[in-house]
Amino acid sequence: SPSNKTEYYVKTDRLLNCYHPTRRSSTSVKFPPHETFCKMVFRTTLTAAIMAYATAFAPPQMVSKTSISLNAAEMSESMPFLIRPEKLDGSMIGDVGFDPMGLTEIQVDLKYSRWAEIKHGRVCMLAIVGMLWQEYGPHWEGAAYATRDVLAAPGSVGTGVNLQILLGIGVLEMANFNAHYGDDTEPGDYGLDFGFLNNRTPEQVLFLKEAEMKHCRLAMGAFMGAFAQTILFGKLLGEVPGY
C-alpha cells in the first residue's frame, strides 16, 4: 500500500473515474479520512442496533376484549381451529359448525340441505342394518331370497320387488314435496312418529332429535365403509379381509 494517504486517495479517485464515466469530472472526489469513515459506519450501526433493541420494550398494541370475544365465538364447535361458517349459527338441530369444505357458502336454502341430510341418514340406517341382515339374518323362502350377497340381492329378487320399493318411496316423496320448501315445516317431519313422541317434554324431544342426527351421520359413514369393504374384498362384514 502507498505510504502516503493523500496519494492513495488520489489514485483511488482516478480509478473510480476510469470505470464510471458518469463520475468523470475535472474536480476530484474528496474521500474522508479512513478513521473518520470507520467511526461514521460504527455509529450508524450502533444507533440502528439500539433502536431495534428498544422496540422490544415498546408497549404492545392494545386489542379490544370485544374483538377477542367475537373471534372466540366465531370458531367452530366441532373444529375449534376453523372459523364457524356464517350460516351455521346453531339454530338447526345437530349444528356444531362442521363444514370444512364450505358447502354452506354455495347453498341458498339450508333447510333443503337438512332435508337431504336426514333422508340420506335414515336410508343409510336402514341400509347398514339391511346389509347385516342380508348376510347373517333369516331369509324368506325361495331361491330369489337365498343369496347373502348384498350386491347380488337386488338382481335376484327381480324387477317387480324393486318397482314396489321405488313406487313406495315415490309416493312418500310426492306427498311431502312442498314441505321441503315451506317455512312452517321442520326438516324430516313426515308426521309419522306413531305416537313415539307423545307425552314427552320439549327437552326429551330435542334430545331424541339430536340423537337421530348423530345416528344418521354415523350410519352414512358406516354404510360407505361397509360398501367399500364388500366391493374391494368380496367378504361378509363380519369376516376379516385376508383370512
Side-chain angles (χ1 to χ4, degrees), residues 119-165:
K119 287 180 182 180
H120 285 81
R122 290 172 177 173
V123 169
C124 286
M125 284 192 287
L126 291 174
I128 193 65
V129 174
M131 292 180 70
L132 293 172
W133 190 280
Q134 182 74 25
E135 294 180 353
Y136 297 100
H139 292 190
W140 288 348
E141 296 182 359
Y145 309 102
T147 179
R148 296 191 179 276
D149 187 355
V150 295
L151 300 179
S156 65
V157 297
T159 306
V161 176
N162 290 293
L163 287 178
Q164 292 177 18
I165 298 175

Side-chain angles (χ1 to χ4, degrees), residues 23-192:
R23 296 185 55 183
R24 295 174 183 174
S25 60
S26 57
T27 305
S28 299
V29 178
K30 295 182 180 180
F31 290 91
H34 184 69
E35 293 82 0
T36 305
F37 178 77
C38 291
K39 290 181 180 180
M40 292 174 58
V41 173
F42 177 77
R43 290 175 181 175
T44 304
T45 305
L46 182 62
T47 303
I50 294 175
M51 293 179 62
Y53 182 76
T55 56
F57 298 92
Q61 295 181 353
M62 300 300 294
V63 181
S64 63
K65 296 182 178 179
T66 304
S67 62
I68 297 177
S69 301
L70 181 60
N71 292 334
E74 289 180 349
M75 303 307 292
S76 172
E77 180 182 352
S78 59
M79 307 181 74
F81 52 89
L82 294 180
I83 301 296
R84 174 183 59 82
E86 182 179 358
K87 295 182 180 180
L88 299 182
D89 54 1
S91 58
M92 287 187 172
I93 297 175
D95 178 13
V96 289
F98 182 80
D99 186 21
M101 298 181 63
L103 298 179
T104 56
E105 299 177 1
I106 60 176
Q107 295 290 333
V108 179
D109 186 8
L110 290 185
K111 188 175 182 180
Y112 183 84
S113 301
R114 173 50 59 90
W115 268 100
E117 182 182 19
I118 293 179
K119 287 180 182 180
H120 285 81
R122 290 172 177 173
V123 169
C124 286
M125 284 192 287
L126 291 174
I128 193 65
V129 174
M131 292 180 70
L132 293 172
W133 190 280
Q134 182 74 25
E135 294 180 353
Y136 297 100
H139 292 190
W140 288 348
E141 296 182 359
Y145 309 102
T147 179
R148 296 191 179 276
D149 187 355
V150 295
L151 300 179
S156 65
V157 297
T159 306
V161 176
N162 290 293
L163 287 178
Q164 292 177 18
I165 298 175
L166 181 61
L167 181 62
I169 296 176
V171 171
L172 184 63
E173 287 294 310
M174 293 300 297
N176 296 273
F177 180 78
N178 293 329
H180 293 70
Y181 305 97
D183 296 332
D184 55 345
T185 58
E186 184 178 358
D189 185 9
Y190 289 96
L192 301 175

